[in-house]
């Protein structure tokens, strides 16, 4: 599991940074990646990345401001021409379906894969055997949502030497134990999974928030997260400006991470006024004063999300 940023600027692109888009690479877990927001130019950023649109499985849109979704119609169309024929699920606030369908219809864009558009107002959006995705509304000028991606715990490693002593060889019985089912040994002994499985591997949590002012909803979304992605549009000397425009400062992002007990914080969505490295470092330093495990999101860099103890 890795974070890969393709846009870290707020509002409009600059020469240094593109507008918002972030990939969660799940190659080991699902052989796919998920996309969070799709600002203008995202498909160009993907061309410069190790990502392939044919591997895109889900897109989560935080809100309907242009810097977070103007790249969506082009990306959906291009995916059809880049080997993307598997189903794609698109999640976002009410109005997303109208925007996408109108754009594709008027441009006569054709896609050769199943596109499912799920409009939501928070709650549990997705769940399967490996992941669950939850969402909650934040505090922005329009409806803006945060997403909490929860990896389910993995069973511990089988003690194959012990299984040999019980006369159990690799095969279907191994699978039953890994699924949490008991089995019967050749000697008629009931063997429980806990008897032969090592310590459970705790699943990871990644929280990605849309644009927001500080609000109560962001804390449960980020609780204990291994990685929290939070906007840091301004330095705290512009806290009043941030409040007026429904955004957060770097310090406020760090305060949220600290209160939620997150393990690491990735700052993004920087105002275009912060063009130079020394200005960006001020954002980082401001956050570190409150939450030491803060870092600046850099475009086209991979950030591994490690399990505890790795």
């Amino acid at each position: 599991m890795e974070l890969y940023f393709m846009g870290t600027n707020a509002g409009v692109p600059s020469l240094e940074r593109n507008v918002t888009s972030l990939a969660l690479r799940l190659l080991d877990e699902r052989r796919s990646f998920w996309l969070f927001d799709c600002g203008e130019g995202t498909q160009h950023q993907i061309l410069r990345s190790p990502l392939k649109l044919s591997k895109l499985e889900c897109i989560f849109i935080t809100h309907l401001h242009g810097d977070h979704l103007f790249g969506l119609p082009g990306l959906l169309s291009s995916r059809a021409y880049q080997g993307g024929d598997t189903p794609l699920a698109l999640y976002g606030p009410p109005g997303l379906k109208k925007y996408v369908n109108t754009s594709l219809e008027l441009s006569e864009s054709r896609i050769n894969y199943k596109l499912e558009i799920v409009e939501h107002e928070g709650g549990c959006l997705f769940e399967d055997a490996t992941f669950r995705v939850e969402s909650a509304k934040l505090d922005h000028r329009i409806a803006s949502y945060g997403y909490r991606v929860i990896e389910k715990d993995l069973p511990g490693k089988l003690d194959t030497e012990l299984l040999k002593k019980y006369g159990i060889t690799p095969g279907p019985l191994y699978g039953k134990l890994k699924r949490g089912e008991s089995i019967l040994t050749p000697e008629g002994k009931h063997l429980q999974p806990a008897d032969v499985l090592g310590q459970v591997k705790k699943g990871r949590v990644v929280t990605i928030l849309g644009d927001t002012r500080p609000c109560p909803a962001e804390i449960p979304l980020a609780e204990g997260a291994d990685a929290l992605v939070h906007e840091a549009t301004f330095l705290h000397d512009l806290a009043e400006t941030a409040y007026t425009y429904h955004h957060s400062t770097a310090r406020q992002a760090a305060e949220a991470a600290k209160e939620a007990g997150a393990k690491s914080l990735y700052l993004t969505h920087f105002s275009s006024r912060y063009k130079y490295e020394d200005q960006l470092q001020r954002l980082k330093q401001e956050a570190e004063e409150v939450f030491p495990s803060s870092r600046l999101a850099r475009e086209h860099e991979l950030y591994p999300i490690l399990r505890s103890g790795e």
Side-chain angles (χ1 to χ4, degrees), residues 138-152:
L138 303 171
D139 183 0
H140 194 47
R141 286 196 299 116
I142 63 173
S144 179
Y145 291 84
Y147 295 100
R148 179 179 174 88
V149 179
I150 304 161
E151 180 187 34
K152 296 187 177 180

Side-chain angles (χ1 to χ4, degrees), residues 2 10 53 55 71 98 107 109 123 132 143 177 180 193 209 254 262 270 279:
E2 300 159 314
L53 279 178
K55 298 292 187 183
K98 180 180 179 181
S107 62
S109 299
R132 184 169 76 253
L177 288 166
L209 303 183
F270 310 121
Q279 296 172 318

Side-chain angles (χ1 to χ4, degrees), residues 76-89:
L76 294 175
S77 179
S78 293
R79 183 177 186 265
Y81 294 98
Q82 296 181 24
D85 56 7
T86 54
L88 177 64

